[in-house]
Amino acid sequence: MKHLFRRFAGFATLGLVLAIGMSGMAQAAAPTGADWFQLLTNQQTGSDNTGDGNTGNGSDLNYYYVGQTFTSVIQIRSTGPGATAANIWIDYPSTTTTASNLTTGSFFNTWSGQNVSSTVSPGVGRVFSTGANIPVSVSSGTGTFGNVDWTVSRPNSLARATSSPATLDINIGVIGATTESNISNAGVDLLDSAEDFQVHFWADTIRPFAETNNIASGTTGVVIDANYLFRLFDTRDGEGFSTSTANNAGGVGTGVNTATPPGTLTLTPTHFVPTSFDAYSCSGVWGTNVCNTTIDPPSPLGIVGDTRNWLYNQAYQLCIANYQDLASASQNQLGEPNGPNSMLTKCFDFTTEPDTVAPQVVSETPAASSAGNSIATNITINVEDRKTYPAGPSGVGVATTTCAFDVWSESQATTTYALPSAFVTINPISYGFQYVINPATDFAQNERVWVRAYACQDLVANTMADDNWFFDTSDTDPPYVINKLPDNDQIAATSTNIQFGLRDDGVGVDINNTVIFINGIYYSAGGGAGSVTLSGTIISFATSTNFTPFYVSTSTNQYDFNIGPLTFADGEAIPVIIYSRDTSNNLMPRVVYGLVANGTGVCPSGATFCGVNTTWNGSSCVGTASSTTVTSCPTTGGGGTSYVIEINATTVRVDQIDGDSVLVSWLSNRPGTGRVVYGEQTSVDMTLRPNYGYDNSTPEYNHNDTYHAVVIDGLEAGKLYYFRPITESNGQEVYGKEVLMTPVFSTRILSEEGTPIPTELICPAPAPTPAPSRTTTRPSRNGVVPVQVNTPVNPTRPPTVSTQPTGTGNGPKIENIAPVGGTLNLFGSGGVGNIRIIIY
């Protein structure tokens, strides 16, 4: 850089000398004139950052402690023509300070000669810096010539004296001379003045201390969710001096060391370790001069999320001790004690508020006012103890067994559950306890249940106000049939009414989903076409009779039917099937029973049947009814009157109940048992007992009656079945006429939403039609006696395609019939008209 200095030759130089006790130096004063230098600090402790305290009084000057570093800004000002270059030396007392981290400023664009020398002369160090504008141009105004850090290595007075400050004197030399430092423009020395910087270099011998921030010592009624705030101070003058302002009140020390240990916080009584839940927020000249400290304790009950910090109605003492400052461990060059300085123990007392809030019921299951609950439901009650509800800090806690509960319903008297109880399970939960009541007896369906919780106390005897609520049980049972008249297997008059009651103990009968089948006729609400849906099966009917005129109802839970008068043929088997559900969609199992109409006939011996309420006296029927009413047949043999058992062929009938069930009914002349043998093939040998050559037999029903009705399940729609009734009485077993039937109902698959998928045809059951037959003689399997059997004649099947009915207009048209999986699918186009389908 020699060429640079040559270009600088001819302008005066300026030297800034920082010296201690050097006579003949400039005193601290604000710089004057258009062109000057001064030093500024960014960490002032006095009244300003220029080092002169404004007043020039030594007590107002800034001070720094042994071991601390502060930064000074070298500020330059040049106005008027402005400066083209400048040269500066800063001399400092190397016995008390160390210079470091010299940087260039922004006032010029070119810099050279930046250097720090600690031994330019005994006890004096020097900072060098040169700047210029190349190519030559003028810089004007106030700007930064650079920065330099100073570290205090020893105090300049004992016991922090303020009478003899150290003077950092800017030695300007001879203004206008060409030696030392200079501000120049075209070789002309422009320097007018420079400001001295006076400062105290001290040892920190004062202890830090603590003050409360939000809870003064001796305070009572402190809220239990308050944090505890205190401040750690390290002031210049120690405790007792004003600390009302954050940073400079009472002056600043070296600052607080917040390490723990050595700092300790002790709480009595202890439910947490305070140093584990403290947070420091420090500020001040040195960054740690004032430390605002927050203690945020955990819940004394250990509840996650609980904002409660303290026990209720508890006297606490918090002691703060052993915090240190940052005083240097080698500050005793003039005889002061070495640091750090430790604070004296400081204790603060306070008392928290009492718990005056009682526990509460915060939730219950089943929920209050809810419906559709199980009759076997448990009752779950959560009781919490908080300062505020529904959320807030915890209370002292629930006294576990103080609670009591009353439970009653429309069907049950009040049961009181006092604790402890074998019917109540107690589970701990946050803020309290959960009580689970398992009633000894289930509730009734569709009834209201009331619950009262009371007497719950917390641990300081605050008692909960009574809490009352209710819930409703669900309806889980279907309707049912009572008072059938005539009843199952009874004999009915040929002109009679069918009577029964339909009841529901729950929400009520769904009368619009009630269907009654009597002897081939469907009855429904409103009449017309409709269907009844069973479990996965839909029974559809093209027509039905409106049963509304035939019932009376006092409520939706009670319907009494009286359908008739109905006319039946003598000896006719009368099937009755009742389908229903309630408005909770509980499906009633179908009710199937059978009756027989009064009939007349002639016994094989020629005697007439005896009637109802009559007996055979050996020669005639004796009683109140007509002797032509069929009940039993007398015969003679063995020297006296005897009876033979027979099945009246005209009374054998089969009726379809649903998709896979039929009802076979018949009449016998003697009371006895009933069963049905059946299969997909007719028998070829009626001597093969017990099934007489058929594949299957139902169980034998020992109802000891003359009317018999047997339900057969598990059949497949679309298949032809052969049925034959069997009756046994007094050791005699006889079989009746074989009847044939093809169940035609089929099952619809229901989607998840319950909407039927119309992929199969649903047809009403046709009235039983006697199958055509011919009589043949076959040899029996044992080769003894040939037997006669009725073999069905293969019927002529309808064509697969049917034409449109005659007449005008566009009527319905069947275009294709195809067997699928045992059912028949019919495809075609719609229109106005009817199609009659006979399935064999």
Side-chain angles (χ1 to χ4, degrees):
M1 297 293 291
K2 288 183 179 179
H3 64 283
L4 178 61
F5 285 106
R6 289 194 186 100
R7 295 187 61 183
F8 290 172
F11 66 81
T13 59
L14 169 67
L16 277 73
V17 179
L18 284 70
I20 298 177
M22 298 176 67
S23 61
M25 300 302 171
Q27 299 299 311
T32 59
D35 300 274
W36 46 257
F37 281 108
Q38 69 172 349
L39 295 180
L40 305 176
T41 178
N42 63 347
Q43 294 175 318
Q44 76 272 15
T45 57
S47 57
D48 65 52
N49 66 342
T50 65
D52 65 4
N54 281 331
T55 65
N57 295 327
S59 60
D60 293 331
L61 301 180
N62 290 291
Y63 54 89
Y64 301 100
Y65 292 100
V66 175
Q68 291 191 323
T69 298
F70 64 95
T71 300
S72 65
V73 177
I74 307 169
Q75 189 176 62
I76 185 173
R77 178 175 177 81
S78 181
T79 59
T84 57
N87 189 52
I88 190 169
W89 299 347
I90 303 175
D91 290 344
Y92 61 92
S94 57
T95 57
T96 58
T97 55
T98 300
S100 62
N101 196 26
L102 173 63
T103 62
T104 60
S106 58
F107 198 74
F108 296 107
N109 61 26
T110 303
W111 301 89
S112 65
Q114 277 65 45
N115 184 35
V116 175
S117 175
S118 61
T119 57
V120 294
S121 62
V124 177
R126 180 170 293 167
V127 174
F128 300 90
S129 183
T130 300
N133 286 328
I134 300 177
V136 177
S137 61
V138 175
S139 295
S140 63
T142 302
T144 301
F145 198 77
N147 298 277
V148 62
D149 291 344
W150 309 98
T151 301
V152 180
S153 57
R154 58 168 285 181
N156 73 308
S157 60
L158 181 63
R160 300 184 297 112
T162 61
S163 59
S164 56
T167 301
L168 306 184
D169 192 10
I170 298 177
N171 189 338
I172 61 174
V174 179
I175 296 178
T178 59
T179 59
E180 299 177 352
S181 298
N182 184 268
I183 294 177
S184 175
N185 188 310
V188 177
D189 189 349
L190 305 177
L191 182 61
D192 293 319
S193 65
E195 182 183 21
D196 296 336
F197 192 94
Q198 292 182 313
V199 64
H200 303 294
F201 295 155
W202 290 338
D204 184 357
T205 60
I206 304 301
R207 299 174 185 272
F209 60 94
E211 288 185 354
T212 59
N213 194 3
N214 67 327
I215 302 174
S217 186
T219 301
T220 60
V222 174
V223 295
I224 48 85
D225 50 344
N227 293 337
Y228 190 92
L229 308 179
F230 67 92
R231 291 183 292 188
L232 295 172
F233 283 95
D234 186 41
T235 66
R236 180 191 66 188
D237 301 317
E239 188 173 5
F241 291 86
S242 173
T243 56
S244 60
T245 57
N247 293 336
N248 292 324
V252 298
T254 52
V256 178
N257 181 355
T258 59
T260 52
T264 59
L265 300 173
T266 304
L267 181 70
T268 305
T270 300
H271 70 82
F272 69 99
V273 179
T275 53
S276 300
F277 298 93
D278 54 13
Y280 301 96
S281 176
C282 298
S283 61
V285 172
W286 306 115
T288 53
N289 176 57
V290 179
C291 284
N292 292 302
T293 308
T294 300
I295 298 178
D296 185 6
S299 168
L301 297 183
I303 300 173
V304 176
D306 181 19
T307 59
R308 173 181 158 191
N309 295 338
W310 312 100
L311 300 173
Y312 283 91
N313 200 31
Q314 177 66 55
Y316 282 100
Q317 183 180 75
L318 178 66
C319 292
I320 307 167
N322 300 324
Y323 283 92
Q324 296 180 344
D325 62 14
L326 300 175
S328 171
S330 57
Q331 65 178 11
N332 63 346
Q333 294 93 337
L334 300 182
E336 301 88 347
N338 283 327
N341 303 295
S342 295
M343 69 173 291
L344 298 175
T345 300
K346 191 71 172 292
C347 294
F348 305 96
D349 299 313
F350 63 95
T351 302
T352 56
E353 63 182 327
D355 183 352
T356 60
V357 181
Q360 285 190 18
V361 173
V362 296
S363 66
E364 59 277 323
T365 303
S369 305
S370 64
N373 299 290
S374 169
I375 62 173
T377 185
N378 289 345
I379 302 172
T380 301
I381 305 161
N382 287 355
V383 178
E384 293 182 358
D385 184 38
R386 292 179 181 258
K387 180 180 177 181
T388 57
Y389 297 93
S394 65
V396 294
V398 177
T400 312
T401 59
T402 57
C403 294
F405 307 98
D406 288 346
V407 179
W408 70 98
S409 71
E410 295 168 339
S411 67
Q412 296 184 15
T414 299
T415 300
T416 297
Y417 298 91
L419 302 178
S421 169
F423 297 99
V424 181
T425 301
I426 304 175
N427 303 310
I429 60 174
S430 295
Y431 307 98
F433 290 94
Q434 179 186 83
Y435 300 90
V436 182
I437 303 173
N438 184 4
T441 304
D442 288 351
F443 302 110
Q445 296 182 64
N446 193 41
E447 72 169 351
R448 180 151 293 180
V449 180
W450 287 269
V451 183
R452 179 168 74 104
Y454 60 100
C456 295
Q457 292 185 340
D458 62 17
L459 297 177
V460 291
N462 293 309
T463 303
M464 178 182 78
D466 291 4
D467 197 344
N468 297 272
W469 69 94
F470 68 85
F471 62 87
D472 296 329
T473 58
S474 62
D475 181 2
T476 57
D477 287 347
Y480 54 93
V481 173
I482 63 170
N483 301 332
K484 298 188 292 290
L485 185 68
D487 206 340
N488 184 42
D489 289 347
Q490 289 186 348
I491 296 175
T494 54
S495 178
T496 189
N497 287 23
I498 303 299
Q499 302 177 52
F500 60 87
L502 189 58
R503 300 288 188 269
D504 185 62
D505 295 334
V507 295
V509 175
D510 185 355
I511 197 66
N512 292 318
N513 270 304
T514 298
V515 175
I516 303 165
F517 175 85
I518 303 176
N519 204 35
I521 298 175
Y522 286 96
Y523 296 84
S524 66
S531 64
V532 57
T533 302
L534 307 177
S535 298
T537 303
I538 299 177
I539 305 300
S540 298
F541 43 87
T543 61
S544 67
T545 299
N546 182 4
F547 60 42
T548 303
F550 300 114
Y551 72 75
V552 294
S553 174
T554 58
S555 70
T556 58
N557 301 88
Q558 177 177 321
Y559 291 85
D560 291 306
F561 285 86
N562 188 358
I563 301 176
L566 304 177
T567 302
F568 308 106
D570 286 347
E572 182 178 12
I574 307 167
V576 180
I577 308 173
I578 304 170
Y579 308 93
S580 189
R581 68 181 64 226
D582 62 21
T583 54
S584 289
N585 209 33
N586 295 306
L587 181 68
M588 181 183 78
R590 67 179 183 236
V591 175
V592 181
Y593 63 101
L595 315 171
V596 63
N598 290 342
T600 59
V602 179
C603 295
S605 61
T608 60
F609 287 19
C610 289
V612 177
N613 299 323
T614 64
T615 58
W616 181 256
N617 65 1
S619 61
S620 65
C621 296
V622 178
T624 60
S626 168
S627 63
T628 60
T629 301
V630 178
T631 55
S632 60
C633 292
T635 61
T636 57
T641 301
S642 64
Y643 297 90
V644 297
I645 182 171
E646 292 182 347
I647 293 176
N648 190 329
T650 63
T651 65
V652 180
R653 86 181 261 175
V654 59
D655 291 276
Q656 185 162 353
I657 299 173
D658 57 23
D660 63 357
S661 305
V662 298
L663 175 70
V664 179
S665 58
W666 68 95
L667 188 70
S668 63
N669 67 323
R670 291 287 304 274
T673 67
R675 66 186 177 98
V676 177
V677 292
Y678 65 98
E680 297 180 33
Q681 301 292 331
T682 189
S683 173
V684 296
D685 190 347
M686 292 299 295
T687 66
L688 297 176
R689 300 181 66 182
N691 287 7
Y692 296 98
Y694 289 88
D695 294 333
N696 307 288
S697 174
T698 67
E700 185 174 45
Y701 299 97
N702 189 16
H703 46 261
N704 195 32
D705 207 336
T706 57
Y707 177 71
H708 311 274
V710 176
V711 175
I712 303 174
D713 290 314
L715 306 179
E716 295 184 33
K719 286 187 177 181
L720 177 67
Y721 289 92
Y722 299 81
F723 305 95
R724 192 179 293 272
I726 308 290
T727 293
E728 186 271 332
S729 179
N730 292 331
Q732 300 180 42
E733 184 175 80
V734 297
Y735 55 82
K737 172 187 174 182
E738 182 182 67
V739 291
L740 286 70
M741 185 181 204
T742 298
V744 294
F745 295 147
S746 59
T747 299
R748 282 182 176 178
I749 300 174
L750 301 181
S751 69
E752 292 183 358
E753 294 77 18
T755 304
I757 303 175
T759 56
E760 297 175 344
L761 179 68
I762 306 299
C763 300
T769 302
S773 63
R774 59 175 177 267
T775 302
T776 59
T777 300
R778 290 182 186 160
S780 65
R781 293 188 179 180
N782 56 19
V784 179
V785 181
V787 293
Q788 288 186 337
V789 297
N790 291 328
T791 303
V793 177
N794 291 330
T796 302
R797 297 188 179 274
T800 58
V801 178
S802 176
T803 60
Q804 180 174 311
T806 59
T808 61
N810 294 324
K813 178 180 180 181
I814 297 176
E815 298 173 345
N816 186 36
I817 302 176
V820 177
T823 64
L824 292 177
N825 280 6
L826 279 71
F827 304 92
S829 57
V832 178
N834 298 314
I835 293 179
R836 183 178 182 184
I837 302 172
I838 300 177
I839 300 179
Y840 297 89

